[in-house]
Amino acid sequence: FKLSEKFIPSIEQVIMGLVPFFHGYGLLLMLQALCMNNKLVVLPHFDGHLFLSSIEKYRVTLLPAVPPLVVFLAKSPLVDQYDLSSLTNIRCGAAPVGKSTLDQ
């Protein structure tokens, strides 16, 4: 079986793999990266500087996030020290996030 070229996405994603891989969402991200030939940046744990510098260094485009991570991005002064312009998509789930936090 050979996958036709038309089924291979032309947009290369660089995905941040910070959500746990033992969770369904983490497993889905890992499988998506493998099947779609995306890059997956995996961090062993959350550390603000490591997280932000990895987004900058590897030019992460897709960030799956949980609400505390979105709050960190909205309110942490560390964020201004890094270039996060590569992020084109932030997906947040698992719990509600306030509109004011999303606006920030």
Side-chain angles (χ1 to χ4, degrees):
F1 176 76
K2 184 174 179 182
L3 190 60
S4 169
E5 291 288 323
K6 69 180 181 177
F7 294 111
I8 300 174
S10 59
I11 299 173
E12 181 181 299
Q13 292 278 1
V14 181
I15 305 168
M16 175 61 72
L18 190 56
V19 294
F21 293 128
F22 60 81
H23 187 275
Y25 191 37
L27 178 62
L28 179 66
L29 285 174
M30 183 173 50
L31 291 174
Q32 175 187 342
L34 289 170
C35 292
M36 305 297 238
N37 200 28
N38 295 146
K39 293 177 182 170
L40 184 64
V41 178
V42 179
L43 300 180
H45 61 278
F46 179 78
D47 170 83
H49 288 288
L50 176 63
F51 169 68
L52 295 168
S53 66
S54 296
I55 292 173
E56 180 179 76
K57 178 178 180 180
Y58 298 107
R59 306 295 298 155
V60 172
T61 57
L62 172 60
L63 175 63
V66 293
L69 194 53
V70 173
V71 170
F72 170 80
L73 289 170
K75 300 184 185 287
S76 175
L78 293 177
V79 172
D80 294 332
Q81 299 173 23
Y82 297 90
D83 176 12
L84 307 183
S85 63
S86 63
L87 284 173
T88 58
N89 195 335
I90 299 175
R91 297 180 185 169
C92 183
V97 177
K99 182 172 177 358
S100 63
T101 301
L102 292 175
D103 289 342
Q104 288 176 341

